[in-house]
Amino acid sequence: MSKRARGSETTLLNLEALENAVPWEELGADVVDPLRRALDTARRERPATERAKAADAAREATFEALEDEERAEAACAAYSAASILFADATLAGGDCGGGDEAVDSEAAALRACDLAMLRGGVAEWATITEPVVRAASAGAASEARRLAVRAAVPRSEPEPVCEHMGGLAAGIERVDARGLSVADFSRRYLESGTPVILTHAIGSWPARTCRPWSCEYLRALAGERLRQGHG
């Protein structure tokens, strides 16, 4: 994917699709006018900072309507559209209020896309946001890969002994999986239903060999994204 220069006037978005996703007839002029201006600045390929400011103003214009039960659904769509326009402009180098480093723009763009989909729905807005999300994620993913490579060192610690089965594991054959082929495993144990404890079976898994699993790694990979918690 080609990179845009910071401050670029070119948009990554399909502006027609974005416009068609907004229920304009259900919105008042207080929301429509600022959003139309934001779309116009994007269409005219105005400087990224100007586009970001127009899109941010369009987002703010939806706040009152979002509190109105009768207009809330349509206002959510308007908010999503404005947020995506803001994300696109910010990624191109528009002022996001977080400094002038590229990583700040990427983080702000991802947050704006997340908020757009949280407000308006993933099914409705994911396709429209995809070009921006892909471009903004590239930098974070690159940094995460750098951290992973730096931390990718062979692990040679001894195989831990599992104590969860207690005495049930006594007498069961233990086999080093590194020297056991799939065919041998099937013939010797699977087909006959013979219990076996495989050792050294997960030492080569990427989760153990090339994932640093540090706060720095997780922050670089997904620290700026909004995640739904379960519990």
Side-chain angles (χ1 to χ4, degrees):
M1 178 179 294
S2 61
K3 291 185 177 181
R4 296 180 295 178
R6 289 182 61 76
S8 171
E9 293 81 14
T10 305
T11 178
L12 293 173
L13 297 170
N14 181 336
L15 296 177
E16 182 179 357
L18 185 145
E19 182 176 18
N20 291 338
V22 178
W24 300 96
E25 68 283 353
E26 300 176 28
L27 297 164
D30 57 329
V31 175
V32 168
D33 291 348
L35 186 53
R36 288 287 188 194
R37 283 193 291 272
L39 266 169
D40 185 55
T41 61
R43 283 202 176 95
R44 291 190 293 118
E45 297 186 338
R46 300 298 299 164
T49 296
E50 182 179 337
R51 286 168 27 219
K53 289 180 179 178
D56 199 30
R59 285 199 300 185
E60 291 186 6
T62 67
F63 292 165
E64 184 175 343
L66 288 169
E67 299 299 322
D68 184 340
E69 186 174 340
E70 294 183 358
R71 296 195 295 165
E73 185 174 349
C76 281
Y79 177 90
S80 296
S83 290
I84 295 168
L85 289 169
F86 178 80
D88 179 62
T90 299
L91 185 60
D95 182 12
C96 63
D100 59 358
E101 295 296 325
V103 66
D104 294 328
S105 294
E106 291 164 355
L110 288 171
R111 284 196 298 269
C113 288
D114 287 338
L115 289 170
M117 288 185 283
L118 283 172
R119 278 287 190 182
V122 174
E124 291 79 1
W125 295 96
T127 300
I128 297 173
T129 63
E130 183 177 4
V132 176
V133 171
R134 285 184 179 276
S137 298
S142 177
E143 174 64 9
R145 285 193 296 270
R146 184 187 67 79
L147 291 172
V149 169
R150 187 178 68 183
V153 294
R155 301 195 177 201
S156 58
E157 66 268 20
E159 182 76 13
V161 177
C162 177
E163 299 179 355
H164 296 298
M165 297 181 66
L168 295 176
I172 297 178
E173 183 182 6
R174 298 174 67 88
V175 176
D176 190 332
R178 293 172 295 185
L180 183 68
S181 68
V182 174
D184 285 343
F185 171 77
S186 179
R187 177 177 54 81
R188 292 167 54 184
Y189 305 105
L190 184 61
E191 294 176 3
S192 64
T194 303
V196 63
I197 297 174
L198 298 178
T199 64
H200 301 94
I202 64 173
S204 62
W205 287 10
R208 288 175 57 85
T209 59
C210 62
R211 300 289 191 274
W213 299 125
S214 65
C215 291
E216 183 185 21
Y217 169 75
L218 294 173
R219 189 178 300 112
L221 183 67
E224 300 295 342
R225 305 303 305 278
L226 296 175
R227 303 293 182 185
Q228 182 176 356
H230 299 279

